[in-house]
Amino acid sequence: AQTVTQSQPEMSVQEAETVTLSCTYDTSESDYYLFWYKQPPSRQMILVIRQEAYKQQNATENRFSVNFQKAAKSFSLKISDSQLGDAAMYFCAYRYNDMRFGAGTRLTVKP
Amino acid sequence: EPEVTQTPSHQVTQMGQEVILRCVPISNHLYFYWYRQILGQKVEFLVSFYNNEISEKSEIFDDQFSVERPDGSNFTLKIRSTKLEDSAMYFCASRELARGVADTQYFGPGTRLTVL
């Protein structure tokens, strides 16, 4: 079964600092997709970053980057220069056929 | 930038009533999805839809649920006889056909369903 695990229910970071959110997944497939979604209090799901499993290069989107370790089945999200607007729930997701989400990490940004 | 839209934003219904949640996917997208998020829990896959038929569904998507693309733009989720435990946020998502970067699913803002 394909499962996604986020072991940190809550994380906190000081504004302008860097924080890393962890995600591991379980799959027997070799070609799949990984995503990080942000869910602010409005509960909208906003795509933060995506990674194709066949690409070795880690994806980067401005202040957001991932550390994709395919052999370890790990997909962590690094947020640099954290801003108050980054405060939200962050969901890691795996997709081969349907999309599987982790339980989420609530990120608090302290001013 | 095109986006997925959903209506209504909040639906309140009595237990046992039928509800229809509506979604307008991004116009050139061909795969459509419904997800559910019970308050405080993770997002759960319900169903995917392609070429006018269900391509996959989860164990949550039982006979009480159905999906339809009644015209060229709308994609609906119907719950025939709502239960208290159907109270949740329901997200619609869509994506293009091709694999690769276009494989990304774009989510709508969600419909909050409250069953009393």
Side-chain angles (χ1 to χ4, degrees), chain B residues 6 12 19 26 34 37-38 40 44-45 51 59 77 81-82 92-93 98-99 108:
Chain B
Q6 290 184 243
V12 181
V19 295
I26 294 173
W34 283 103
Q37 186 185 31
I38 295 170
E44 300 172 291
F45 167 76
N51 199 26
E59 56 276 8
L77 174 70
S81 178
T82 50
C92 173
R99 289 180 70 81

Side-chain angles (χ1 to χ4, degrees), chain B residues 26-96:
Chain B
I26 294 173
S27 62
N28 64 331
H29 286 189
L30 297 177
Y31 277 93
F32 314 116
Y33 304 83
W34 283 103
Y35 293 86
R36 177 181 83 174
Q37 186 185 31
I38 295 170
L39 185 64
Q41 299 186 22
K42 65 177 159 183
V43 178
E44 300 172 291
F45 167 76
L46 291 178
V47 66
S48 61
F49 190 86
Y50 169 69
N51 199 26
N52 283 320
E53 61 182 21
I54 291 173
S55 50
E56 288 184 78
K57 60 182 180 179
S58 72
E59 56 276 8
I60 302 169
F61 193 87
D62 61 22
D63 292 343
Q64 291 297 311
F65 293 90
S66 62
V67 289
E68 194 179 31
R69 188 152 164 83
D71 53 43
S73 59
N74 288 284
F75 178 52
T76 62
L77 174 70
K78 183 194 291 186
I79 309 175
R80 285 189 185 80
S81 178
T82 50
K83 304 190 260 304
L84 294 176
E85 54 265 38
D86 292 328
S87 294
M89 195 78 160
Y90 288 81
F91 292 101
C92 173
S94 70
R95 70 171 177 92
E96 295 182 53

